[in-house]
Amino acid sequence: MSAERQRGDGLFPPGAYDRDDEEPDDRFYTMPRKVVHIDDGAIAALGRLYAEVLPAGGRLLDLMSSWRSHLPPGAREVIGLGLNAEEMADNPQLAKSIVHDVNRDPRLPFAAGEFDGAMCAVSIQYVTHPLRLFRELQRVLRPGAPFVVSFSNRCFPTKAVAVWLGSTDSQHRLLVRSYFEAAGGWTGVKDEDRLVYGNGDPLYAVWGRRA
């Protein structure tokens, strides 16, 4: 059975990971979009979360990376994995960038235990093979290393999977938590509403540590 016919990795019924735009993702992201997808308040909240959870040093993987990583200052090596080379080349926090489509091939181009932490910011709603990807994250992380997934209430709706579009913000937290739990091999999984109060964008996060 092909990878496309196995979307969702059996976590939900067929169709849950369908998208309105089924063109290859690398075509959609051909043109660089050098914009941030959450406002300044949410970006600041994300930086605080990273400071709390991610190691201050070591090697980090910025999964589904773009032109900004929103990491707090610190001596660390950050590797970006994304779909647009120009965007990642403009990211001042990346030491190296690799173009790779995780929906076409969820296997990550890294050896086992290469990273001390990983993050995926406001992109989890586009992933069509979540369990395979989370198991790959587990493979490339060292024991005890955290993986932080953050999201808001924004997305490119034609590229988001059906189960995401049909869910509320609180259900999104449960959905991402289910990815950690169903993939197995993660400990201390937490989900939080890091809401920016006022009129700003909300920020939600789910994270766990590689067992």
Side-chain angles (χ1 to χ4, degrees):
M1 185 178 290
S2 72
E4 281 301 297
R5 289 199 297 271
Q6 295 177 18
R7 280 186 181 183
D9 308 318
L11 189 61
F12 288 98
Y17 288 84
D18 288 350
R19 301 175 297 174
D20 288 342
D21 180 358
E22 294 291 6
E23 287 288 311
D25 291 340
D26 56 0
R27 296 183 190 175
F28 183 81
Y29 293 100
T30 297
M31 295 296 293
R33 295 177 173 87
K34 295 183 182 180
V35 296
V36 291
H37 300 289
I38 47 178
D39 64 18
D40 289 345
I43 290 171
L46 182 58
R48 290 192 294 271
L49 173 64
Y50 284 164
E52 292 171 19
V53 179
L54 294 172
R59 197 166 194 242
L60 302 182
L61 173 60
D62 186 4
L63 186 70
M64 303 176 79
S65 184
S66 182
W67 74 306
R68 293 293 182 267
S69 294
H70 308 309
L71 287 160
R76 56 175 70 85
E77 180 187 10
V78 185
I79 308 301
L81 192 79
L83 281 172
N84 189 283
E86 183 178 336
E87 285 185 4
M88 291 189 289
D90 201 27
N91 187 328
Q93 294 187 301
L94 297 184
K96 179 182 178 181
S97 61
I98 299 170
V99 174
H100 181 84
D101 183 349
V102 297
N103 285 339
R104 179 173 291 177
D105 182 6
R107 185 168 177 82
L108 301 177
F110 306 108
E114 279 199 37
F115 295 96
D116 301 294
M119 60 279 192
C120 179
V122 294
S123 295
I124 193 64
Q125 61 268 27
Y126 309 120
V127 173
T128 58
H129 302 286
L131 299 193
R132 292 173 64 187
L133 185 60
F134 274 58
R135 287 167 184 152
E136 275 295 290
L137 262 298
Q138 181 194 130
R139 182 182 65 81
V140 303
L141 289 174
R142 298 185 177 103
F147 175 38
V148 180
V149 180
S150 61
F151 47 93
S152 187
N153 57 1
R154 297 185 181 188
C155 67
F156 295 122
T158 60
K159 279 298 185 182
V161 296
V163 67
W164 189 273
L165 294 178
S167 304
T168 65
D169 288 344
S170 59
Q171 289 170 332
H172 292 157
R173 289 168 57 185
L174 296 176
L175 177 64
V176 177
R177 189 181 184 103
S178 76
Y179 294 164
F180 280 97
E181 293 170 348
W186 299 94
T187 63
V189 178
K190 298 180 181 180
D191 65 273
E192 283 192 1
D193 179 349
R194 311 284 290 205
L195 185 66
V196 180
Y197 291 98
N199 297 320
D201 293 337
L203 183 74
Y204 309 100
V206 186
W207 69 92
R209 293 184 181 274
R210 197 259 202 210

